Amino acid sequence: MAAPSPGPREVLAPSPEAGHRAATSSSGRRGLLWRLRDKQSRLGLFEIGPGHELHQLTCMMQAGLWAATQVSMDHPPTGLPTEEDFSEVLTQVHEGFELGTLAGPAFARLRRSLGLAEEDYQAALGPGGPYLQFLSTSKSKASFFLSHDQRFFLKTLRRREVRALLAHLPRYVQHLQRHPHSLLARLLGVHSLRVARGKKKYFIIMQSVFYPTGRISERYDIKGCEVSRWVEPAPEGSPFVLVLKDLNFQGKTINLGPQRSWLLRQMELDTAFLRELNVLDYSLLMAFQRLHEDERGPGSSLIFRTARSMRGVQSLEEPEAQNRRLLPDAPNALHILDGPEQRYFLGLVDLATVYGLRKRLEHLWKTLRYPGRTFSTVSPTRYARRLCQWVEAHTE
């Protein structure tokens, strides 16, 4: 399905300085406390400050996103969603660069459905604090950033990946309405950035699966195969935060207890959806955090958790078909699943690779290159089945 493309709108944006003043006025009072409090939880991440090769780029992103979010605050979408919500392109002209917002009204509605206030979104992504960079173990040439509070994740994409995401966006939103506790990463925005008369760069924004980060001990990126799925672990005591892969997980188990059946069912629902979109090469992100004694078992917040789990569900589906669960009383609850002793952060990410001619040829080449071994480039049907089988084999 191709996304419709009406003529883009171009407007003069508020200056980066205006955005910076507005953002810093709301965050200045907590600036010093924030730096002291978060210093430990940002171990292994790097502030993109003055002197960093990406500092100018991220400053443009921050000023541009502040102005783009201001548009959705000043003109929030009203009424029922329309086809134009998914095809609108708004270009804001800044001094020295342009920032494009793709499908802005659709993403504003999605953020609202998640209970995310535009003011908080703007403050986190605007000029109030430096973005953070981490060393990715991904083989792609994408750049990865985190907002200064580590709540939001930004990643550069190729143009063809952006086209695929936007083409699938209406069905993605519909899937989240049908299955509000889906494991799919929550996409919050798609943008383009052009510096002077240079080539456009595209990037997406999503909720970080690994949030809050304070007590996370291990992180994994799982694809359910073995070729190129090993990362050399960081030395003992190293400050680097590495995301490990499938082969690093050998001999380990995810102990979910009664939550296991929910996870297996949700994996089936989400991967079936991605299979219908002809998508492959996505990952199941996982992280571990040991629960404190007072966090284990059904606590006194059960009623609150039940209400939280029901809130915002506006689907005609029956609860059983939606596969809802009790959400924990924690930030980022949609990506958190508590076992008897461990808290698990789980989410399906990288949803923009379509099984077209390029990937079919890559499949043929890898079949010859790696006989008898499993690799990531397989048909969407096989990919979905294999990842579900991995989860079933590694959970109890």
Side-chain angles (χ1 to χ4, degrees):
M1 179 182 70
S5 304
R9 289 194 294 141
E10 187 171 294
V11 299
L12 187 64
S15 70
E17 291 76 15
H20 179 75
R21 287 196 299 271
T24 52
S25 66
S26 64
S27 62
R29 294 187 297 276
R30 61 182 178 85
L32 179 60
L33 290 175
W34 168 77
R35 289 185 179 88
L36 293 173
R37 185 188 67 216
D38 283 4
K39 189 172 183 180
Q40 290 301 315
S41 68
R42 287 163 44 212
L43 198 65
L45 298 170
F46 303 91
E47 277 193 4
I48 304 177
H52 193 290
E53 62 179 351
L54 296 172
H55 181 247
Q56 185 178 14
L57 173 68
T58 56
C59 284
M60 292 177 183
M61 292 170 70
Q62 288 181 316
L65 290 174
W66 185 91
T69 310
Q70 191 64 42
V71 171
S72 63
M73 292 166 62
D74 293 340
H75 307 284
T78 58
L80 295 174
T82 66
E83 195 171 309
E84 287 71 28
D85 290 346
F86 294 93
S87 56
E88 179 180 290
V89 179
L90 172 66
T91 300
Q92 293 176 291
V93 181
H94 298 255
E95 185 177 348
F97 71 97
E98 298 175 357
L99 187 112
T101 299
L102 289 72
F107 283 112
R109 291 179 187 277
L110 182 55
R111 294 192 296 269
R112 187 166 60 198
S113 74
L114 296 171
L116 174 56
E118 294 290 77
E119 293 81 2
D120 293 341
Y121 186 68
Q122 184 185 56
L125 293 167
Y131 284 173
L132 306 174
Q133 182 187 32
F134 64 93
L135 298 179
S136 170
T137 55
S138 170
K139 292 173 65 180
S140 75
K141 296 180 181 179
S143 297
F144 303 87
F145 309 106
L146 285 167
S147 59
H148 59 78
D149 59 2
Q150 302 186 51
R151 187 178 177 186
F152 302 113
F153 180 89
L154 301 91
K155 178 185 177 181
T156 59
L157 289 187
R158 298 182 181 92
R159 184 179 179 183
R160 67 171 179 269
E161 294 173 318
V162 168
R163 283 201 301 261
L165 273 183
L166 293 177
H168 296 153
L169 185 58
R171 293 175 68 181
Y172 167 83
V173 170
Q174 187 179 55
H175 180 77
L176 295 185
Q177 290 171 341
R178 287 177 175 171
H179 306 289
H181 297 169
S182 167
L183 292 165
L184 298 183
R186 292 330 192 249
L187 297 173
L188 304 174
V190 176
H191 298 273
S192 65
L193 179 71
R194 188 203 301 270
V195 179
R197 296 188 180 275
K199 188 177 180 181
K200 279 185 181 180
K201 299 177 183 290
Y202 292 90
F203 65 95
I204 62 169
I205 306 167
M206 67 182 196
Q207 286 189 176
S208 175
V209 175
F210 300 151
Y211 176 83
T213 62
R215 289 158 46 202
I216 289 178
S217 58
E218 300 174 64
R219 297 166 172 83
Y220 293 90
D221 176 312
I222 301 297
K223 291 183 182 289
C225 58
E226 57 181 325
V227 173
S228 301
R229 301 306 295 166
W230 166 265
V231 172
E232 193 63 37
E236 190 73 27
S238 168
F240 293 111
V241 175
L242 291 182
V243 179
L244 304 177
K245 297 185 179 180
D246 301 61
L247 296 180
N248 299 94
F249 199 80
Q250 286 185 338
K252 300 186 179 184
T253 303
I254 305 167
N255 183 10
L256 290 172
Q259 300 264 36
R260 180 176 182 264
S261 59
W262 177 88
L263 175 62
L264 296 181
R265 176 61 179 150
Q266 195 58 53
M267 283 293 300
E268 289 177 2
L269 292 167
D270 288 334
T271 58
F273 168 69
L274 295 174
R275 183 184 68 229
E276 291 170 5
L277 297 183
N278 203 32
V279 165
L280 73 158
D281 218 17
Y282 44 91
S283 296
L284 176 65
L285 290 187
M286 297 191 310
F288 298 173
Q289 172 186 308
R290 192 152 192 89
L291 290 172
H292 290 154
E293 195 67 40
D294 60 353
E295 295 173 319
R296 299 177 188 176
S300 58
S301 59
L302 183 61
I303 295 176
F304 171 81
R305 291 165 64 202
T306 303
R308 182 188 182 120
S309 301
M310 298 290 290
R311 190 177 60 212
V313 177
Q314 299 176 341
S315 173
L316 298 177
E317 304 278 344
E318 291 297 319
E320 294 78 12
Q322 289 186 316
N323 197 42
R324 291 203 300 262
R325 64 183 173 97
L326 291 178
L327 297 177
D329 182 13
N332 203 27
L334 290 170
H335 286 303
I336 291 176
L337 204 58
D338 286 345
E341 296 186 351
Q342 295 261 24
R343 169 163 288 178
Y344 300 96
F345 296 76
L346 299 161
L348 290 165
V349 301
D350 298 337
L351 314 177
T353 302
V354 174
Y355 194 54
L357 178 60
R358 183 192 303 263
K359 285 296 175 181
R360 292 173 189 272
L361 293 175
E362 185 179 328
H363 169 74
L364 291 175
W365 179 82
K366 287 186 176 180
T367 301
L368 298 173
R369 177 73 174 81
Y370 304 109
R373 301 181 66 192
T374 57
F375 47 84
S376 64
T377 313
V378 294
S379 72
T381 297
R382 186 175 174 190
Y383 195 96
R385 181 173 64 246
R386 190 173 64 187
L387 188 56
C388 287
Q389 289 172 343
W390 189 97
V391 173
E392 186 169 10
H394 291 83
T395 53
E396 59 182 25

